[in-house]
Every structure is written in structure tokens, then in C-alpha cells.
């Protein structure tokens, strides 16, 4: 009787260890050095783009800086999604892209004056809100499908 219990205990221990090892190996390995190198490249690209903007004047400089910052934010979100893919990170990428487009468009509106500027900004804001609503519904639908186990077929 004792031998049977010992055999069962050993078998359960091996099964638990095998399951823990397979769970640990299922997660994609994140190469920290490679990720840091890419993050450093993104920051260097941003600094170079911002340096290019420093030669500009007025509204062109503001548009350039908004574009550089937006590209940096999008690249960082894409990097995070690349190394840790998930619905939340994919959503952050889409949100960063929408925000980048909005901020650049809004800066471009500053070229106009008075009613034209106001109309341009309202149009940019409306497009941004529409994009955000689309992102929200896109990922809400995906979250519902994953929560219910539905494949959408």
C-alpha cells in the first residue's frame, strides 16, 4: 500500500513539474537586449527628427515636432505589442496612431485663422472621436468573442 502511494506521489510530482515547465516555455522569450536596442533606436530617431525640426520656424516647426513625437509614441506602442502581443497592446497601437494623426492635423489647422481654423479643428476632433469609437467597438467585439470563446464563424 505504501509503495502504491509513493508511486502515485512521484507520478504526480513529475506531472506537475512537466506541466509547469511546458507552461513556462509556452510564453515567447523576450530578448531584453534586443528590446532595449530597439527602444534606444526609437529614441534616437525621435531626437534626430526633433533636431530636424529645430531648423524650422513657426507653425511648420510645431507640426514637425508633433509628427516626431507621434511617431515615437506609435513606435513604442508597436514595440510593446511586438514583444508582448495582446489585445490591449494592439489597441494601444491603434490609439497611438489615431492620436498622432489628430495632433498633427490640429497643428496644421493653426496655419488658418479665425473661422477656418475653428472649422478645421472641429473636423479634426470629429475624425479623432470617430476613430476612437471605431477602436473601442473593434476591441470590445474582440474582447466579447474571447470571453465567450466564440470564433466569429
Amino acid at each position: 500500500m505504501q509503495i502504491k502511494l509513493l508511486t502515485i506521489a512521484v507520478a504526480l510530482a513529475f506531472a506537475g513539474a512537466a506541466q509547469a515547465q511546458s507552461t513556462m516555455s509556452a510564453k515567447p522569450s523576450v530578448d531584453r537586449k534586443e528590446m532595449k536596442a530597439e527602444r534606444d533606436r526609437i529614441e534616437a530617431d525621435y531626437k534626430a527628427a526633433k533636431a530636424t525640426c529645430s531648423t524650422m520656424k513657426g507653425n511648420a516647426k510645431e507640426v514637425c515636432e508633433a509628427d516626431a513625437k507621434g511617431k515615437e509614441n506609435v513606435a513604442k506602442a508597436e514595440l510593446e505589442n511586438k514583444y508582448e502581443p495582446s489585445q490591449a497592446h494592439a489597441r494601444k497601437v491603434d490609439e497611438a496612431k489615431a492620436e498622432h494623426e489628430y495632433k498633427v492635423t490640429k497643428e496644421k489647422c493653426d496655419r488658418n485663422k479665425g473661422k477656418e481654423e475653428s472649422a478645421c479643428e472641429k473636423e479634426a476632433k470629429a475624425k479623432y472621436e470617430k476613430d476612437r469609437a471605431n477602436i473601442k467597438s473593434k476591441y470590445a467585439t474582440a474582447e466579447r468573442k474571447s470571453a465567450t470563446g466564440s470564433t466569429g464563424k
Side-chain angles (χ1 to χ4, degrees):
M1 183 73 162
Q2 246 182 343
I3 294 175
K4 283 186 176 180
L5 288 175
L6 185 59
T7 306
I8 292 171
V10 169
L12 287 174
F14 279 124
Q19 183 180 8
Q21 187 175 11
S22 69
T23 303
M24 291 169 64
S25 65
K27 188 171 182 175
S29 65
V30 175
D31 185 359
R32 301 256 183 237
K33 288 182 182 177
E34 186 178 320
M35 188 173 175
K36 183 176 181 343
E38 286 191 48
R39 183 171 282 119
D40 291 345
R41 180 193 53 79
I42 290 168
E43 289 175 10
D45 288 348
Y46 168 67
K47 288 177 182 175
K50 194 162 181 181
T52 303
C53 299
S54 68
T55 62
M56 299 176 182
K57 300 254 186 244
N59 183 256
K61 183 175 182 176
E62 292 172 3
V63 170
C64 182
E65 288 175 348
D67 187 46
K69 187 64 176 172
K71 285 180 181 177
E72 179 192 30
N73 291 338
V74 169
K76 284 182 178 179
E78 287 173 339
L79 178 67
E80 192 172 346
N81 190 43
K82 176 181 175 183
Y83 285 98
E84 295 178 25
S86 69
Q87 287 289 326
H89 290 153
R91 182 178 181 156
K92 285 181 183 179
V93 170
D94 289 345
E95 289 172 343
K97 287 178 180 178
E99 188 170 337
H100 170 236
E101 185 178 340
Y102 169 65
K103 287 185 175 182
V104 170
T105 304
K106 191 174 175 199
E107 285 298 333
K108 287 180 180 178
C109 290
D110 288 347
R111 293 179 187 158
N112 303 324
K113 296 292 176 210
K115 290 181 181 179
E116 288 179 10
E117 179 182 11
S118 179
C120 180
E121 287 179 354
K122 283 181 184 178
E123 187 178 322
K125 179 79 170 177
K127 183 177 182 332
Y128 176 61
E129 293 298 327
K130 181 181 175 191
D131 289 347
R132 287 185 57 199
N134 289 340
I135 292 167
K136 184 176 181 179
S137 67
K138 175 182 172 182
Y139 289 99
T141 302
E143 288 170 5
R144 276 190 299 244
K145 285 181 183 176
S146 67
T148 62
S150 172
T151 58
K153 293 181 181 177

